[in-house]
């Protein structure tokens, strides 16, 4: 005899990844998309043995970290809503986004 099916969650939005920490490991930013509120300070920590950066894509973005050695951190407080795409300038295939809301 089969068990009754539970109600489906189809159509429900995915749970956003929130918090204020981004790990840099295995040549990726984790989470790839971080959703935060205005005024949140986000800290990136390099957990790889290779050096990485946190740099806004395009011109004029706010993220401009120095080269981060293993276990080095970089922090930035987001003061305006918007979507902030960034990458590692040393490894440009490493990309991620911070989504900032009111």
């Amino acid at each position: 005899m089969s068990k009754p099916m539970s109600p489906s969650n189809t159509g429900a939005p995915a749970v956003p990844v929130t918090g204020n920490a981004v790990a840099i490991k295995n040549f990726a930013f984790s989470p790839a998309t971080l959703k935060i509120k205005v005024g949140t300070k986000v800290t990136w920590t390099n957990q790889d043995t290779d050096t990485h950066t946190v740099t806004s894509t395009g011109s004029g973005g706010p993220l401009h970290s120095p080269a981060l050695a293993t276990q080095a951190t970089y922090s930035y407080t987001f003061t305006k809503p918007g979507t902030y795409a960034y990458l590692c300038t040393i490894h440009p295939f490493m990309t991620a986004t911070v989504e900032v809301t009111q």
Side-chain angles (χ1 to χ4, degrees), residues 16-95:
V17 177
T18 60
N20 65 344
V22 177
I24 306 170
K25 60 184 175 183
N26 300 322
F27 289 86
F29 296 104
S30 180
T33 301
L34 180 66
K35 297 184 183 213
I36 62 168
K37 298 284 187 189
V38 167
T40 301
K41 179 180 179 180
V42 176
T43 300
W44 289 260
T45 303
N46 183 8
Q47 298 175 5
D48 276 342
T49 55
D50 285 53
T51 301
H52 297 293
T53 70
V54 177
T55 308
S56 293
T57 56
S59 61
L63 303 174
H64 299 287
S65 79
L68 301 173
T70 303
Q71 296 304 316
T73 63
Y74 171 72
S75 296
Y76 180 80
T77 301
F78 290 86
T79 58
K80 295 180 182 176
T83 299
Y84 298 84
Y86 63 94
L87 54 70
C88 171
T89 56
I90 301 165
H91 309 100
F93 60 87
M94 294 174 57
T95 61

